[in-house]
Amino acid sequence: MSTPVHRTSTRQSAAVLTPARQRREGSRTGSPSRNPAEHALLQLQSSAGNRATTAAVQRARGADKGKAPEGGGADKGKAPEGGGASAGAKKKDYRDRIAGLLDRFKKNLEPIDTFIKGVQTPTNAGFTQQAAAAANEGLKHSTAASGTSAASGNLLTEAAGTVVNGMDAYKNMKDTRKHESGAAHHTAKKKAKTKGVDTVVGAAGSGSYSAAIAKEVTKIQKAADAAVASEASGIASASVGAIKGMRAAFRAGGAARKYMKVKELGDPHLVHAGSLARLNESREQAGWAAAEAYVALDTYWKHEGEGRLELVSEAIDAAWEAMGEARDAAESLRRAEQDVEKLNTVQGYAKKKQLTKIGKETVGGAVGESTKAAAGVVTAVAAGTAGLASNPVGWGLAGAGAGLVLGVTLYKALRAATKRYEEVRHPERWAPEGQNPAEAASRGESLKHALAFWKKVSKGERQAMAREIYTLAAGPDIPGSGSTTAEMRESARALLIALKSGPAQHKLEPEAWEGTLNDPAKSAGWIKEIAEQLASG
């Protein structure tokens, strides 16, 4: 695609031509006009520009081919079928690739960011307090330099995360409009809302880290407005910490409400005790009927006289039918007992996930971020009061908040690494029923996969529990759900409603919602939806 050519002033032309002339002169003399880092950056920019230009030219050519020449015939004006769809697919592919690269870049930065927040930042706060108390200018300069690098690392991670969350929010908003109802609609809507809030919070966090960089730079330069910059940084840090703390509190509250709703469903063993008793009674009656049929067969077998063979044949048929009914009744009872155990397991897992989320959000979010917000307030007050310059309260609060956040982050990282290890080391543990599990990886390969922190677990316990819930709640047309009793199916669907996957969230009437549970084409979407709801609050 071409852009209109605008006239530029003589000064702009000269400014543009001067670097080009310098590069030509440098190439003739054999001495590069820039250092290696700048040269590498220019090469990277040139490569990216060439790729962008090539893509633009290809799109332009495609557009030209699709246009009808003026005055041409009808056949010449026809665009190739599927051209628009192909261009849209390429655009979507580029967007997904960029989002994937940014997401991986952010996840590679997260370990460094965790170290900065949990170790470097509170350590800098301690040295800053010590330097202020001892009036040590050299230590002040060193801690300011370290603080600048720390805030820069935080800003880079936060900015990358903000861009990724923004792109993800936009993508899910489009998916929400694409899927007007059902599990896919609810999953996309929830993600769009969550990622949208993450984008706003990330933008605020980026502003806070920018203020922190400005604060440290003023310290290095010994600027007169260092106190003003420190006060502004403290206020920004306190504001962002308060926002994150409140958001974590809301998340913990949502997880607590979901936990209570699942708990209100009751113990499946007690809820289904009556139905199991009825099935057991049917099994016993069928067993007695089979026993009576065999007694009758024995009597007719010993009978002497006319019609003996006919009576024996009828008795054999009756005994065979009675044994089949007894066998079916015993199988129904066995399956019902297994379903009760499955329902009990998945309900326990759902409650455990919500309790874990409550703990993480409370410790690392509500308490940890609020403590960091309090540290920001102390920093702002100390910046404007000379007497508080050596007050260790801010250092203590910053260290405590960072310690809580760091502890929760390390816990999450360890749990994720363990799940990734089990995913490839013991694939049979959470493999779907009826499918052959993948071949187990070696210990070394499993450890390597566990350390790939940018990868998500796709074949773990949560996905297996989601499949179990769906199998219990699905209709008779879904493989593995045909023998589920009506009472058990109703209980499993009540669990879905407690997990916020009911008709209201899917924008469907109850009958239509139940119909989606009996549609094999929607099975994958349902399992994904349930897995998401198990992890969210």
Side-chain angles (χ1 to χ4, degrees):
M1 295 176 67
S2 61
T3 57
V5 178
H6 300 282
R7 294 181 181 272
T8 57
S9 64
T10 307
R11 181 175 301 176
Q12 290 175 336
S13 301
V16 173
L17 291 175
T18 300
R21 188 179 297 115
Q22 290 176 351
R23 285 194 297 270
R24 288 196 299 269
E25 292 175 356
S27 62
R28 285 196 299 267
T29 57
S31 59
S33 61
R34 300 181 183 270
N35 58 40
E38 291 178 341
H39 186 66
L41 179 60
L42 286 174
Q43 284 185 336
L44 180 61
Q45 292 174 341
S46 176
S47 176
N50 290 338
R51 288 197 298 270
T53 304
T54 303
V57 171
Q58 290 175 349
R59 289 195 296 269
R61 288 176 177 174
D64 291 339
K65 289 179 181 178
K67 293 180 180 178
E70 294 182 3
D75 294 337
K76 294 181 180 180
K78 289 183 180 180
E81 294 183 2
S86 177
K90 288 182 179 179
K91 183 177 180 181
K92 182 179 179 182
D93 181 61
Y94 283 135
R95 185 175 62 247
D96 291 343
R97 288 175 63 184
I98 292 172
L101 289 173
L102 284 174
D103 185 56
R104 181 163 181 175
F105 176 67
K106 169 184 165 288
K107 289 180 178 179
N108 278 283
L109 289 175
E110 282 178 350
I112 302 174
D113 184 69
T114 301
F115 171 80
I116 291 172
K117 290 179 179 177
V119 179
Q120 187 175 356
T121 299
T123 302
N124 287 344
F127 281 121
T128 300
Q129 187 268 332
Q130 181 181 352
N136 188 334
E137 294 299 326
L139 185 58
K140 285 182 181 180
H141 188 277
S142 298
T143 53
S146 178
T148 302
S149 66
S152 300
N154 293 144
L155 176 60
L156 183 61
T157 305
E158 194 77 39
T162 302
V163 175
V164 172
N165 290 329
M167 297 179 70
D168 205 0
Y170 175 74
K171 176 180 178 296
N172 282 283
M173 286 175 63
K174 292 184 65 177
D175 290 343
T176 302
R177 292 190 293 268
K178 178 181 177 182
H179 307 284
E180 297 181 354
S181 61
H185 168 81
H186 183 233
T187 301
K189 181 179 179 180
K190 187 176 181 65
K191 278 191 172 183
K193 181 179 178 181
T194 302
K195 295 299 181 180
V197 176
D198 287 341
T199 303
V200 175
V201 174
S206 299
S208 175
Y209 291 131
S210 299
I213 293 174
K215 177 190 71 173
E216 301 298 342
V217 170
T218 56
K219 289 182 181 180
I220 294 175
Q221 297 177 350
K222 299 180 182 180
D225 55 352
V228 177
S230 296
E231 187 174 358
S233 175
I235 293 173
S237 177
S239 301
V240 173
I243 292 172
K244 291 183 177 181
M246 287 189 294
R247 189 186 183 202
F250 280 119
R251 284 180 167 180
R257 288 190 293 272
K258 184 178 284 189
Y259 171 83
M260 293 305 299
K261 288 182 179 180
V262 175
K263 188 177 180 180
E264 288 173 358
L265 298 176
D267 185 353
H269 294 95
L270 299 177
V271 173
H272 294 278
S275 61
L276 290 178
R278 289 192 295 271
L279 288 173
N280 185 55
E281 184 179 355
S282 299
R283 180 188 63 82
E284 291 178 351
Q285 291 177 355
W288 281 111
E292 291 174 356
Y294 272 98
V295 171
L297 174 62
D298 186 64
T299 301
Y300 291 134
W301 188 266
K302 295 178 181 179
H303 179 73
E304 296 291 342
E306 296 181 359
R308 174 176 177 271
L309 294 178
E310 183 178 354
L311 292 174
V312 169
S313 177
E314 293 177 355
I316 290 175
D317 292 340
W320 183 260
E321 183 179 356
M323 280 299 299
E325 292 178 355
R327 184 171 57 252
D328 292 342
E331 182 65 18
S332 298
L333 177 61
R334 184 185 66 82
R335 289 179 178 175
E337 290 174 341
Q338 288 180 346
D339 288 345
V340 168
E341 289 297 331
K342 289 180 180 179
L343 184 61
N344 183 66
T345 300
V346 295
Q347 282 189 195
Y349 179 80
K351 290 188 289 187
K352 182 186 73 173
K353 289 293 290 184
Q354 299 311 310
L355 288 175
T356 303
K357 189 171 186 64
I358 292 171
K360 290 188 294 187
E361 294 293 344
T362 301
V363 176
V367 178
E369 294 295 343
S370 299
T371 305
K372 291 171 65 177
V377 172
V378 173
T379 301
V381 173
T385 308
L388 293 177
S390 60
N391 195 327
V393 175
W395 172 34
L397 289 173
L404 291 173
V405 175
L406 177 63
V408 172
T409 303
L410 291 177
Y411 169 78
K412 290 180 179 179
L414 181 60
R415 286 283 298 168
T418 302
K419 292 177 181 178
R420 284 192 295 270
Y421 179 86
E422 292 181 349
E423 181 181 23
V424 295
R425 182 63 174 168
H426 304 287
E428 76 285 349
R429 184 170 297 175
W430 308 116
E433 292 185 10
Q435 293 186 12
N436 294 326
E439 185 178 353
S442 64
R443 188 183 299 273
E445 293 175 345
S446 301
L447 288 173
K448 183 178 179 181
H449 183 71
L451 295 176
F453 50 84
W454 58 87
K455 294 183 179 179
K456 293 183 179 180
V457 179
S458 59
K459 300 176 183 178
E461 183 180 13
R462 180 157 58 93
Q463 288 74 21
M465 292 298 161
R467 289 193 298 269
E468 293 286 1
I469 295 173
Y470 175 70
T471 303
L472 292 172
D477 293 341
I478 303 301
S481 301
S483 60
T484 304
T485 62
E487 294 89 347
M488 186 62 58
R489 185 173 287 121
E490 190 67 25
S491 293
R493 291 178 177 179
L495 176 59
L496 288 179
I497 295 174
L499 292 174
K500 299 181 181 178
S501 294
Q505 289 80 19
H506 290 188
K507 297 177 66 175
L508 292 171
E509 294 297 325
E511 294 78 10
W513 178 74
E514 292 174 359
T516 62
L517 285 166
N518 197 33
D519 187 354
K522 292 181 170 60
S523 296
W526 259 113
I527 294 173
K528 181 181 178 181
E529 156 84 349
I530 297 170
E532 291 285 344
Q533 292 305 113
L534 284 171
S536 65

